[in-house]
Amino acid sequence: MLRMKKCKFEHLGTGWLFAGLCTFALLGSCANMATPNGGPYDEIPPKFLRSTPAFHATHYEGKKIEIVFDELIQIERPSENVIITPPQKNLPVVRAIGKKVKVELKDTLKPDATYTIDFTNSIADNNEKNVLENFSFAFSTGNVIDSFEVAGIVLNAENLEPMPHILVGLHQNLADSAFTTEPFFRTSKTNERGRFVIRNIAEGSYRLYALNDVNRDYHFDQPGEEIAFHDSIIVPYFEFASRQDTLWKDSLTIDTIRTVDYTHFLPDDITLRLFKEKFQRQYMLRPERTQQNLFALKFNAPADSLPELKLLNGDPAEENWYLTQLLDGNSTINYWIADSTVWQRDTLHLQVAYLKSDSLNVLCPQTDTIRLSMRRQPASPARRKPKKDEPVPVEYLLPQLKPGSSVDPADTMALVFTEPTPDFAKEHVLLELQQDTLWTPVDFTFRQDSANILKYYLERTWQYEESYRLTIDSARIYSLYGKWNNFFQSTFKFKSRDEYGHLYLHIEGVTGSAFVELLNASDIPVRKAPVERGGALFMNLRPEKYYARMVLDRNGNGVWDTGNYAEGTQPEEVFYSSKLYEMRANFEIEETWNVLSVPLTSQKPIEITKNKPKDVTKQKRNYKEEGRSQSGSSSGLGGLGGLGGGGLGF
């Protein structure tokens, strides 16, 4: 029969053959055939099958460990994520080969010691990357396996962020010097959520530390390393307990609830607050001369004292030949040259005496000789040489009123100039209050900023909805370089009370000096208020969403202070309110905040937590829908399925 059909086709001709092919393609398309999708995702992590030596083996003297799983596996960054205790001086070799993990130790094993290979979350299957969480392997060179555990969490001391990938270690040596001179006795590492478990601990007393171990030597020897230390001695113990385990028939139906006895290792709720000691090596960066009459000395950290300058190429005509302007918290110092015989020189040779950190991070006197050259800039078209009989354009001294025309009651009004104005005084400014249609002169307090000599503050008891006008007549103010001001006038108005909200927080649970900061959605402080008479008051808040953080300000300096290990000083305590304060216009909120009512580990709202918990379980794959979605898109003859509408009828 097949042979007869073949002969029939041979007599049809190419036209009929092409039509037949089109019909065949069309029929294939209508059949709605789909590519096999392979079924649901594998969502199960690798399973441990066997090992050499055996799990929890004793009297093991070899240096090679082989662990076998039920599927192909991989290890993510083994040099960083696999922690071996006791710590190894020589890095071990850790690798994945097929279904096996092979570990080769390079150090001589200690006698009567329990060794733990903590893989943290580094092992995953090779295809779907399902992570085998918190897997560790232990063996002993003696006749027992140490089995105690301690657990907890590491938080950033300043903002309570969970800190991942931080080394946490125990010391048998209870002396404070052990942390800075000896490697840890037992170690582990925090997971993505900042949590840690140190396993296979022997009975005894320990000191507990956390360390961002930059140089991987298992002890604190770099001032820039982040650290944490527990004030109390840790004594591991256990108790017998029971819990309820639920077995499910499916995702909605419970099969069995049973009571399971287990060994509960304690303590398991330790909180370590990670901090970096106040450490910045102080040194001078490259000086700059940005204008003929201005040069800047920059430091990598705020200077403890101002440098002493001496001009080397000729004595200045004036004794005080410069004025200083401090910026960026004293890390940048602008020098405005007052002596024209100095600033008109193309090159300045200076001797600068300042404090610089030595190799032990001690500030020591340092003297440098610097050369500052002013490169001549080509004249721009806007500053061309005027033609004959053409008036020379005047370059005025330009004051600026900040913050602007629409002002919050909490704002500070200031006049800022582009050059120093040594003779500027209160009498040069006229401040008027609008009353109906009239402008009435009013008094105000006038002062120069203690650091920025270009800024002057205007202070007064401002009221809601008040309108002011500030006027400076022409040529009333002269700069250090002879520029004078043009006529200047600016108006500003304070907003209505109805545009703001007010928040009062009753603080409970702590005593002593403290302050509260309101934070925006990026966890950045926008307002600060001291805790006085048991509460913190925030007036005139814009209608926005706020979060709150409180700092126990031990020294009363109004800022959060870090800790110091050598002095045994913990960083100042920080607490977060777990609430969101949604401020509305013309609205008042009064809340009671007990800072101890919520555990420290759960206080920070998840909305402003940067290191949010990650879902390690992959979303289930709807393979039925995948099959349907692929239909019609994989015809064997491609675009031929869309040709023609008729069939051959056979």
Side-chain angles (χ1 to χ4, degrees):
M1 187 67 180
L2 290 175
R3 188 179 301 275
M4 290 175 62
K5 284 189 175 182
K6 181 178 180 182
C7 294
K8 183 177 181 180
F9 273 113
E10 290 175 352
H11 296 285
L12 286 176
T14 57
W16 285 100
L17 179 60
F18 180 73
L21 289 173
C22 293
T23 304
F24 179 74
L26 187 62
L27 290 172
S29 176
C30 295
N32 201 25
M33 298 173 65
T35 303
N37 53 59
Y41 274 119
D42 170 20
E43 297 173 355
I44 301 175
K47 293 181 180 179
F48 169 83
L49 294 182
R50 60 187 181 277
S51 63
T52 304
F55 192 72
H56 281 185
T58 56
H59 300 290
Y60 184 68
E61 297 179 355
K63 291 186 178 182
K64 294 183 179 180
I65 297 93
E66 184 177 276
I67 306 171
V68 182
F69 295 91
D70 66 338
E71 57 182 317
L72 299 176
I73 55 97
Q74 63 180 20
I75 305 177
E76 182 181 3
R77 299 193 304 274
S79 62
E80 299 176 20
N81 295 326
V82 180
I83 308 297
I84 298 180
T85 303
Q88 306 290 288
K89 293 181 181 179
N90 300 305
L91 287 178
V93 176
V94 182
R95 60 190 182 203
I97 302 176
K99 298 181 180 181
K100 298 178 181 179
V101 171
K102 292 190 175 184
V103 180
E104 184 177 353
L105 303 177
K106 299 296 185 179
D107 288 358
T108 301
L109 300 185
K110 298 179 180 180
D112 298 320
T114 297
Y115 278 79
T116 305
I117 306 174
D118 188 350
F119 291 91
T120 59
N121 291 349
S122 63
I123 295 179
D125 62 47
N126 205 45
N127 294 323
E128 302 298 344
K129 309 299 186 289
N130 296 304
V131 175
L132 180 59
E133 294 192 72
N134 300 320
F135 178 73
S136 67
F137 181 87
F139 64 89
S140 175
T141 58
N143 55 9
V144 296
I145 288 282
D146 299 324
S147 58
F148 285 96
E149 298 178 2
V150 297
I153 190 170
V154 177
L155 302 177
N156 184 299
E158 186 175 7
N159 56 28
L160 301 191
E161 281 285 325
M163 298 300 293
H165 314 304
I166 299 298
L167 196 67
V168 184
L170 291 170
H171 269 298
Q172 282 182 313
N173 185 345
L174 304 183
D176 293 339
S177 59
F179 185 38
T180 59
T181 58
E182 302 176 10
F184 288 131
F185 171 68
R186 309 293 302 181
T187 62
S188 184
K189 221 172 193 180
T190 58
N191 63 13
E192 296 293 338
R193 301 173 181 85
R195 300 194 173 274
F196 67 89
V197 180
I198 304 179
R199 299 179 173 89
N200 305 114
I201 306 169
E203 186 176 3
S205 299
Y206 300 92
R207 291 283 189 187
L208 179 64
Y209 303 91
L211 172 65
N212 188 6
D213 194 14
V214 176
N215 55 357
R216 297 179 60 86
D217 60 0
Y218 297 95
H219 66 277
F220 175 43
D221 61 348
Q222 298 287 330
E225 291 177 327
E226 295 171 293
I227 62 169
F229 60 96
H230 199 269
D231 286 323
S232 303
I233 293 176
I234 301 294
V235 180
Y237 66 102
F238 69 91
E239 57 187 27
F240 295 112
S242 60
R243 60 171 177 252
Q244 301 293 321
D245 273 9
T246 303
L247 300 178
W248 297 81
K249 290 182 178 179
D250 52 45
S251 59
L252 299 176
T253 309
I254 296 176
D255 183 6
T256 307
I257 299 177
R258 60 180 183 175
T259 300
V260 178
D261 295 328
Y262 73 100
T263 304
H264 187 186
F265 293 100
L266 296 163
D268 63 352
D269 57 354
I270 301 169
T271 299
L272 293 173
R273 298 184 298 127
L274 196 74
F275 65 93
K276 184 184 290 186
E277 294 184 339
K278 187 177 180 181
F279 167 78
Q280 277 187 300
R281 301 185 64 85
Q282 187 167 298
Y283 52 89
M284 186 169 64
L285 304 174
R286 185 173 182 176
E288 295 179 349
R289 189 181 181 185
T290 55
Q291 300 174 199
Q292 254 194 315
N293 55 359
L294 172 66
F295 66 90
L297 300 182
K298 296 185 177 182
F299 296 84
N300 72 303
D304 290 350
S305 59
L306 295 182
E308 296 180 4
L309 304 186
K310 182 180 179 181
L311 193 64
L312 297 179
N313 55 334
D315 294 330
E318 301 179 21
E319 182 177 352
N320 298 319
W321 57 275
Y322 60 83
L323 300 176
T324 57
Q325 176 191 8
L326 307 180
L327 301 173
D328 304 327
N330 293 11
S331 59
T332 298
I333 308 173
N334 279 348
Y335 292 88
W336 294 89
I337 306 173
D339 189 336
S340 60
T341 64
V342 176
W343 63 259
Q344 288 177 354
R345 302 176 189 177
D346 290 340
T347 303
L348 301 178
H349 292 279
L350 296 174
Q351 179 178 286
V352 183
Y354 63 100
L355 295 178
K356 180 181 179 180
S357 301
D358 64 8
S359 59
L360 299 177
N361 199 36
V362 177
L363 289 176
C364 299
Q366 172 77 15
T367 301
D368 290 341
T369 300
I370 62 175
R371 177 179 176 178
L372 297 168
S373 298
M374 185 65 200
R375 294 183 179 179
R376 298 288 182 180
Q377 300 293 333
S380 64
R383 304 186 71 175
R384 62 176 176 81
K385 185 177 180 179
K387 297 179 181 179
K388 187 177 181 180
D389 300 329
E390 183 181 359
V392 178
V394 178
E395 189 174 354
Y396 291 105
L397 176 67
L398 300 176
Q400 184 179 6
L401 183 64
K402 293 185 176 182
S405 59
S406 182
V407 187
D408 289 330
D411 289 337
T412 302
M413 301 304 300
L415 277 168
V416 182
F417 294 89
T418 54
E419 294 179 354
T421 52
D423 299 324
F424 183 38
K426 176 181 177 181
E427 292 73 24
H428 298 146
V429 179
L430 174 63
L431 183 66
E432 298 171 289
L433 171 65
Q434 186 178 28
Q435 297 175 325
D436 295 329
T437 59
L438 300 178
W439 291 96
T440 305
V442 293
D443 193 21
F444 61 94
T445 302
F446 179 85
R447 64 182 177 88
Q448 187 179 27
D449 188 283
S450 59
N452 187 354
I453 61 174
L454 306 186
K455 180 183 285 189
Y456 297 84
Y457 294 108
L458 291 79
E459 297 170 339
R460 175 180 165 82
T461 305
W462 314 106
Q463 303 294 334
Y464 298 108
E465 299 186 74
E466 287 184 334
S467 294
Y468 289 89
R469 183 171 69 186
L470 186 146
T471 305
I472 303 176
D473 287 337
S474 178
R476 293 298 306 274
I477 309 169
Y478 284 80
S479 79
L480 186 64
Y481 308 105
K483 294 181 184 178
W484 64 85
N485 69 292
N486 200 356
F487 178 80
F488 177 81
Q489 190 172 78
S490 181
T491 59
F492 57 95
K493 182 178 181 178
F494 288 91
K495 297 178 182 178
S496 167
R497 179 186 178 91
D498 295 341
E499 297 183 55
Y500 301 99
H502 312 287
L503 171 65
Y504 183 76
L505 295 175
H506 294 275
I507 307 298
E508 296 181 351
V510 295
T511 57
S513 177
F515 62 85
V516 176
E517 293 176 317
L518 293 186
L519 316 166
N520 61 17
S522 299
D523 199 24
I524 297 173
V526 293
R527 289 283 294 275
K528 182 167 68 174
V531 176
E532 297 176 330
R533 295 182 293 277
L537 176 62
F538 295 91
M539 297 287 292
N540 305 315
L541 293 174
R542 295 178 180 177
E544 293 176 5
K545 295 179 180 180
Y546 298 93
Y547 301 88
R549 171 173 66 201
M550 194 191 77
V551 176
L552 284 184
D553 191 16
R554 289 192 302 253
N555 55 8
N557 65 351
V559 297
W560 176 83
D561 289 301
T562 189
N564 185 282
Y565 179 70
E567 298 173 1
T569 305
Q570 292 281 5
E572 290 181 335
E573 291 183 81
V574 171
F575 302 90
Y576 272 75
S577 171
S578 56
K579 290 186 177 181
L580 166 66
Y581 302 97
E582 189 166 359
M583 188 57 60
R584 301 175 184 175
N586 198 25
F587 201 73
E588 295 183 359
I589 298 177
E590 186 172 352
E591 292 271 358
T592 297
W593 175 18
N594 187 324
V595 299
L596 302 179
S597 62
V598 177
L600 200 66
T601 55
S602 305
Q603 287 186 3
K604 189 167 187 178
I606 192 66
E607 294 80 10
I608 58 174
T609 299
K610 294 180 176 61
N611 184 22
K612 292 180 173 60
K614 297 177 182 177
D615 185 9
V616 297
T617 302
K618 294 182 181 295
Q619 186 176 2
K620 291 187 177 181
R621 175 174 158 189
N622 191 336
Y623 57 92
K624 293 182 180 179
E625 290 299 325
E626 285 183 5
R628 293 192 185 98
S629 66
Q630 293 176 9
S631 64
S633 62
S634 56
S635 172
L637 294 176
L640 290 177
L643 297 174
L648 291 176
F650 59 85

